[in-house]
Amino acid sequence: MRILQVVRGDPMEDIKNIYAIDEMPHILPVIPTIDVVVFPHMVVPLLVLDEKIIKGINAALEGDKKILLLATKPQSAGYQGPIGIQDLYTTGTIGHIMRAMTLPDNGIKILAQGIMRASVQEIVSSNEMLSVNITPLPFDMMPDSTAEIDIKIRNIIGLTEKINALGKNFGPDFQMIISQINDPERIVDFLLSHLNITIDQSQTLLEKASIISLLDDITEMLQAEIEVSKVQEKVRVNARESINKSQREYYLREQLKAIQKELGEESESDIEDLKEKIAKINFSDEASQEIKRQVRRLEKTSADSLEAVVIRNHLEWLLALPWDVLTTENRDLLHAKKVLDEDHFGLNDVKERILDYLSVRVLKTEGKTPILCLAGPPGVGKTSLGRSIARSLNRNFFRIALGGMHDESEIRGHRRTYVGALPGRLIQAMRKVQSLNPLIIIDELDKLGNSGRGDPASALLEVLDPEQNNQFYDNYLGVHFDLSKVMFITTANDVNNIPGPLRDRLDIIQLSGYTREEKTEIAHRYLIPKAVQSSGLDTHNIIIPEPVINQVIHAYTREAGVRELERMVHKLCSKFARSLIETQKGVDFSVDNLVAHLGPQRFTLDQYIFTNKIGVTNGLAWTACGGEILQVEAVLMKGTGKFMLTGQLGEVMKESAQAAMTYARAHMDFFGIDSKSFTEFDLHIHLPAGAIPKDGPSAGVTLLTSILSALTGRAINGRFAMTGELNLQGNVLPIGGLKEKILAAKQHGLDHVILPKQNQKDMVNMEEVVKGIEILWADNAREVLDWVLLPKA
Ligand SMILES: Nc1ncnc2c1ncn2[C@@H]1O[C@H](COP(=O)(O)OP(=O)(O)O)[C@@H](O)[C@H]1O
Ligand SMILES: [Mg+2]
């Protein structure tokens, strides 16, 4: 047995996350390593000829591929016979076999990666094969020592930089890699595998449990190394370069060839296969050159090396992309209309706008067209409309969710410097869809984060820009890829949260929540048939009557869209299926037995909303999730004329409260308020729920109503809800989110809604929405107060 070569560990692959301590097997076959101590994260190729050890490897390969790597004690170096447990240290590293290859002469070659320190508890067997019982040895790290560890690590990195400057390299990318690792344990392991030290020094370090003392040892060794390097540097500068460069290269290449031959590596046919595959694909010129270059590199690299793995992965990606595959687009708008209608109920103006958009695309195939953005509360069908559009155009469909994405590299890809590197999400999508002209939906554009690592928004802007995206460059791929034939559609809950430059490029189509009637219709025509089918109930007679659906909508969901409703319908189907299996009978769903199937009602009409109270007004608010009732509470108490505002109000909302207060004071005679109220009393305004931030000007009239109610002691009619901005003259100004706000009032069972008169013009196609509700159009604050303030009891 001998050691061939040591490949340094890949820091980006977090092995510890993959293998938790308690998942470690307790009994492992032992693989001795001569001349090297394997640290966690380090990758080593090993050639094994000893029969007993080979048996152990084979056993591991059949199981979970875990082994225990133990270094041989120095005195047995040079000894040629079989190695026994007495020749090995008793602390080593649990390893994972990444690759194994049987050699013609009964030997076996493996590539193993260290995972975690472990020590031998007892020998389980040593006759047939060598296996032992182990205890994993995690580092002990005091939580309060992190600062100290940090300082020591920084000091060490400084030392390695010094050594680098002295011309003694730790290997390619050492500095870059180490600066990217955050976990101190991994930094330590990474450093250990790069130190130029003897076996027993390594072994001593492996056995250390305290990370602090390890760091001290490493520091000391590096300092010694610096001293040595300085001396060597002097010698080197003085000595002449005796071998000239080309001679040297020739010599190295010959040596490399000989080694590869010796190992029987990278069989010619492997590479031939690859070349054949490459010949069949119509790459871009640039890609074709890059591929040739990578194949040449692969031919020169040892198949076991980490580098070969990286090159192979890269080639695999390049080959897997749809360089010349297109699906035939269906440009028939009538067909598109049919598909949209088939998949979605209502949404007429949205469908119209989508068809307008598609018409323009049919006429104008080149150049800048804006990107469609479907905006609206959750569950109103944005994503599923995207899917429909793809189906209608006969384009493959893919969804990229932006929620939680905050690194530019997730869009542009990671550089290929490490094994775990991947292309960005766009290239991953292209590989999945297998055509150059899919429809990709960039879902929840407003959830795009920014961690400070690059600028994901501007990367996305480049992706979406038809003038740039035919030359999209992914860092992993290393060549340009044409995204110009992709049709992009975006979605968002709240367009205000989309970064400005991106928003400018969008053609925004606003979707709003559904009325109760629309929800019932959607449930009957779409959600129930879909759920019935996906629960395998199509051949069974399952009936969910309309009153049941209405009750579900009313008592189990409170949402703008139909997502929760869809979930409930699924739940009913699975209850039906279960009953079928258990009793051979289905279920007769009725309003009365719903509680038995869905549990207690989630929402009841909140009685406290309807009660007439002093100081409490039902306001209407609009959030990214749809409309909401937002109560404003005001209380007057003995004090010194202070004015308090609580409930996480934003600046704009605070100012509207102040304006409302000023208006009340300015008109105190008109409302019959005693002037002492402003000097001998404090007024406190609160907006529950106190933990949710609120802002915007549209609560102006609501704030004023509460303030005046508190000051005059007149109760407010609890059947009213209201919204509207207020200026100091008492005019009621228009607001946004009209439909969502009306729907919210309805959902809570309120039947009078006060809205700004100036919004009257926005009431197109709202007949269904306002059914069963009385709308009062307010022009002036006095009107509002007239309507809602009850006479003094
Ligand atoms: N108008 C509609 N007609 C039929 N199904 C709908 C309609 N609106 C929403 N849905 C269904 O509701 C579910 C949730 O829609 P989804 O597209 O996920 O919403 P969003 O992306 O807006 O949050 C999907 O199953 C969708 O098909
Ligand atoms: Mg969605």
Side-chain angles (χ1 to χ4, degrees), residues 208-220:
K208 284 221 160 142
S210 150
I211 202 158
I212 299 246
S213 76
L214 255 176
L215 287 170
D216 287 342
D217 287 352
I218 295 176
T219 311
E220 212 172 277

Side-chain angles (χ1 to χ4, degrees), residues 343-345 347 377-384 514 522 526-527 530 562-563 566:
D343 293 351
H344 291 92
F345 171 81
L347 296 173
V380 294
K382 300 179 298 295
T383 310
S384 87
Y514 295 117
I522 293 174
Y526 297 88
L527 305 183
K530 263 199 289 186
V562 292
R563 202 173 274 177
E566 185 172 31

Side-chain angles (χ1 to χ4, degrees), residues 318-455:
L318 283 169
L319 263 70
L321 289 175
W323 292 96
D324 55 356
V325 188
L326 286 168
T327 59
T328 330
E329 190 177 12
N330 188 340
R331 299 198 163 175
D332 179 356
L333 284 182
L334 285 176
H335 171 76
K337 184 167 168 30
K338 196 172 128 251
V339 172
L340 289 180
D341 283 337
E342 256 168 38
D343 293 351
H344 291 92
F345 171 81
L347 296 173
N348 290 330
D349 34 344
V350 174
K351 288 178 190 164
E352 286 298 312
R353 283 202 56 194
I354 291 176
L355 290 171
D356 294 349
Y357 176 83
L358 293 180
S359 315
V360 172
R361 282 189 50 108
V362 170
L363 294 179
K364 189 168 171 238
T365 45
E366 299 281 299
K368 275 199 179 198
T369 41
I371 307 287
L372 210 53
C373 175
L374 301 171
V380 294
K382 300 179 298 295
T383 310
S384 87
L385 268 171
R387 202 179 285 271
S388 264
I389 298 174
R391 184 164 88 88
S392 74
L393 299 176
N394 188 34
R395 283 170 179 258
N396 295 340
F397 175 80
F398 194 83
R399 166 174 174 268
I400 297 181
L402 290 197
M405 187 194 275
H406 38 240
D407 269 13
E408 188 172 335
S409 58
E410 290 188 61
I411 293 169
R412 287 193 211 273
H414 290 281
R415 289 201 303 131
R416 262 190 328 271
T417 28
Y418 20 81
V419 173
L422 274 181
R425 302 275 283 273
L426 269 306
I427 292 299
Q428 293 184 25
M430 294 312 285
R431 179 174 174 170
K432 287 253 170 55
V433 295
Q434 279 304 309
S435 68
L436 271 182
N437 62 338
L439 185 151
I440 294 183
I441 189 155
I442 308 227
D443 218 2
E444 320 213 317
L445 201 52
D446 51 344
K447 305 286 186 308
L448 184 69
N450 193 343
S451 63
R453 272 185 294 255
D455 181 358

Side-chain angles (χ1 to χ4, degrees), residues 707-745:
I707 291 173
L708 274 172
S709 164
L711 289 171
T712 57
R714 288 167 66 185
I716 297 163
N717 188 335
R719 311 243 27 128
F720 279 75
M722 63 179 74
T723 175
E725 184 175 347
L726 192 73
N727 65 11
L728 276 183
Q729 305 155 52
N731 300 319
V732 179
L733 307 178
I735 46 85
L738 209 57
K739 183 173 171 191
E740 307 294 340
K741 287 178 175 175
I742 300 175
L743 285 175

